[in-house]
Amino acid sequence: MNDVLKITFICDDYPTTDRPTNVFVEQLVNSMVDSGISVNVVAPQSVIHNIVRHNNFLPKISTVSTKSGNKYRVYRPFNLSFGGKFNLFKPLVLFYNRYSIIKVIKNFKTDVLYAHFWHNSRKISKYARENNIPLFVACGEGDDALDKMIKSISYKDKKELVDSITGVISVSSENKRKCVENGLVSEDNIIIEPNCVNTNIFYHQDVTELKTQLGIKKDDFSIIFVGSFIPRKGPDRLAKAISNLNDKNVKVMFIGKSFAGYDYDFDCEGIVYKGIVNHDDLPKYLNCADIFVLPTLKEGCCNAIVEALACGIPVISSNRAFNDDILDDTNSIRVDPLDICALTEAIAFLRDNKEQRIKMKEVSLDRHQQYSIYGRALRILDFIYKKI
């Protein structure tokens, strides 16, 4: 008898080499597979997005290997997405998108359904309930998606969704609070598991050669930003703060990209790199930095911050509740992300206080294993086993 737990993940935009989106989901899946769990991933691809963005259509079924050589399958059925347009067809689109996912799931045995995030749980909740399959939800929303869903969902739909949920994995205390207060889950059916990273990749290392290539000199003070180039993340606010410093020895790396067709840009003196990098190369760029700065307005639990902490980089970020589980006074300075003056002062303080940077670095390096994605996967699996 084969008693290996079989989990099916339902998510958006599962990454490929050419499209490194939602890498954090892939890291969790890989860790679960390496722990001995059988996993299938269902990640619909949008027909409309592929056409509009001139993306190649991905194989409907592909086999993926973890770095340890363990294999699993990724299914990419077609779905439809019109954004806020053509609301007249919304019911038909929702029906088709749910049908395309369930059609795939019916082809193999699954013991547990695991949805990233709440919007994906709604697509499969009825199927889970009717087939008596435990359904778990990863609540990692970092924008307004969770709040919008809570406001838009009807009492009947909410009750049916809640009745289908076996457990919720929240990335932050703030997301847990929202879920519990709005009746999506009870206190005893939700755990808090902040996002983690592959600590075999993200760790403190010597990157003298890359610093030389980037033009970062011994006396320079280097800053790194990692995130989408959008107002919510605040690269423009960081650029303004750097301009306020008026210090020719301040160098900055902006790692990320703008959204296609999105009119938003920023600039300042001292930029030595601006653009995307391969995710496996990101630790090298992080280790080139004296500090990590992300004046973000809203997150679930920011993977980029955890990646910086795993490398021992002192952090400056938002003082809002979503950061409470990963940042404190020992590893970071937290400011109002809209206050350019406060951001400037925090950067200047760490620039001028090397001893404080060293203390913060030592704290984060001491906590290195707390940031391990493999440990997080095992804790989530323990929660799943207890609930089923």
Side-chain angles (χ1 to χ4, degrees):
M1 178 178 177
N2 186 359
D3 59 355
V4 174
L5 185 67
K6 299 175 178 62
I7 300 181
T8 299
F9 278 74
I10 298 88
C11 62
D12 301 319
D13 298 325
Y14 200 74
T16 65
T17 303
D18 297 331
R19 303 182 200 174
T21 57
N22 293 336
V23 174
F24 64 95
V25 181
E26 180 187 44
Q27 291 178 340
L28 178 62
V29 168
N30 287 348
S31 294
M32 287 193 174
V33 172
D34 285 340
S35 76
I37 300 299
S38 174
V39 172
N40 287 304
V41 176
V42 181
Q45 56 181 316
S46 170
V47 174
I48 305 300
H49 284 178
N50 281 347
I51 293 173
V52 170
R53 298 173 183 175
H54 305 291
N55 291 334
N56 294 325
F57 283 91
L58 299 169
K60 283 195 170 184
I61 305 175
S62 58
T63 300
V64 179
S65 295
T66 70
K67 290 187 182 298
S68 298
N70 297 307
K71 300 182 186 299
Y72 60 96
R73 284 194 165 183
V74 178
Y75 298 81
R76 293 186 173 90
F78 294 144
N79 76 353
L80 300 173
S81 175
F82 294 107
K85 301 177 181 179
F86 308 111
N87 284 331
L88 181 64
F89 300 104
K90 188 174 181 179
L92 181 61
V93 169
L94 290 174
F95 174 82
Y96 175 79
N97 289 346
R98 288 170 177 168
Y99 168 78
S100 67
I101 292 173
I102 292 168
K103 184 180 178 182
V104 172
I105 295 173
K106 285 181 175 179
N107 289 326
F108 45 78
K109 185 181 184 305
T110 186
D111 301 314
V112 169
L113 293 168
Y114 193 108
H116 273 271
F117 299 112
W118 277 104
H119 68 279
N120 280 319
S121 72
R122 294 183 68 187
K123 296 173 186 175
I124 56 171
S125 60
K126 182 179 179 182
Y127 178 81
R129 189 170 64 253
E130 291 178 346
N131 291 274
N132 199 29
I133 302 174
L135 172 58
F136 291 82
V137 183
C139 178
E141 285 84 346
D143 49 22
D144 296 323
L146 179 56
D147 303 285
K148 287 179 179 178
M149 187 198 81
I150 291 168
K151 291 179 180 178
S152 66
I153 192 170
S154 69
Y155 175 83
K156 179 177 178 291
D157 287 345
K158 184 170 122 175
K159 186 179 185 307
E160 290 179 351
L161 177 62
V162 171
D163 289 344
S164 305
I165 303 299
T166 307
V168 176
I169 297 91
S170 173
V171 297
S172 69
S173 298
E174 177 67 1
N175 276 20
K176 176 184 175 180
R177 180 189 65 77
K178 290 181 180 180
C179 290
V180 174
E181 287 185 0
N182 288 281
L184 294 175
V185 65
S186 61
E187 282 273 2
D188 57 344
N189 283 334
I190 184 170
I191 59 170
I192 300 170
E193 278 295 335
N195 287 334
C196 291
V197 300
N198 186 344
T199 49
N200 292 323
I201 297 175
F202 289 91
Y203 60 92
H204 176 63
Q205 53 188 286
D206 180 26
V207 288
T208 303
E209 184 177 342
L210 180 57
K211 279 187 173 183
T212 301
Q213 292 174 10
L214 292 171
I216 299 173
K217 299 176 182 177
K218 183 177 180 181
D219 294 332
D220 288 336
F221 179 72
S222 53
I223 301 168
I224 189 167
F225 168 100
V226 180
S228 299
F229 296 162
I230 56 176
R232 175 168 66 88
K233 296 285 187 177
D236 61 323
R237 296 188 288 279
L238 173 57
K240 289 175 183 176
I242 291 172
S243 295
N244 286 345
L245 291 170
N246 193 27
D247 184 343
K248 63 181 178 61
N249 289 327
V250 171
K251 308 298 181 185
V252 60
M253 297 165 278
F254 286 100
I255 309 298
K257 65 177 182 178
S258 300
F259 290 158
Y262 194 60
D263 186 18
Y264 175 80
D265 202 7
F266 54 90
D267 195 16
C268 65
E269 294 295 325
I271 296 176
V272 296
Y273 189 91
K274 184 178 180 182
I276 60 173
V277 300
N278 184 290
H279 191 256
D280 284 353
D281 291 330
L282 179 56
K284 298 176 184 177
Y285 286 81
L286 285 167
N287 277 284
C288 286
D290 293 299
I291 63 170
F292 173 96
V293 184
L294 185 70
T296 179
L297 302 179
K298 186 173 286 189
E299 299 287 339
C301 174
C302 182
N303 289 275
I305 291 177
V306 181
E307 290 167 347
L309 293 172
C311 292
I313 315 300
V315 170
I316 297 174
S317 190
S318 171
N319 59 5
R320 298 185 179 180
F322 54 77
N323 272 334
D324 287 351
D325 297 287
I326 55 175
L327 295 180
D328 55 45
D329 292 342
T330 67
N331 60 11
S332 67
I333 296 177
R334 297 170 63 182
V335 300
D336 179 347
L338 293 172
D339 189 336
I340 306 298
C341 289
L343 187 60
T344 304
E345 290 173 3
I347 295 171
F349 175 79
L350 288 182
R351 177 197 61 188
D352 299 336
N353 289 271
K354 185 175 181 180
E355 287 187 6
Q356 184 62 32
R357 300 201 308 267
I358 292 173
K359 288 179 182 178
M360 289 180 171
K361 178 178 181 178
E362 289 174 347
V363 167
S364 292
L365 293 179
D366 285 343
R367 297 175 182 172
H368 188 253
Q369 283 310 306
Q370 294 181 24
Y371 307 128
S372 167
I373 186 64
Y374 188 75
R376 182 177 192 260
L378 294 181
R379 292 190 296 273
I380 291 173
L381 286 172
D382 183 60
F383 176 65
I384 289 174
Y385 279 119
K386 286 177 179 176
K387 288 298 173 183
I388 64 173

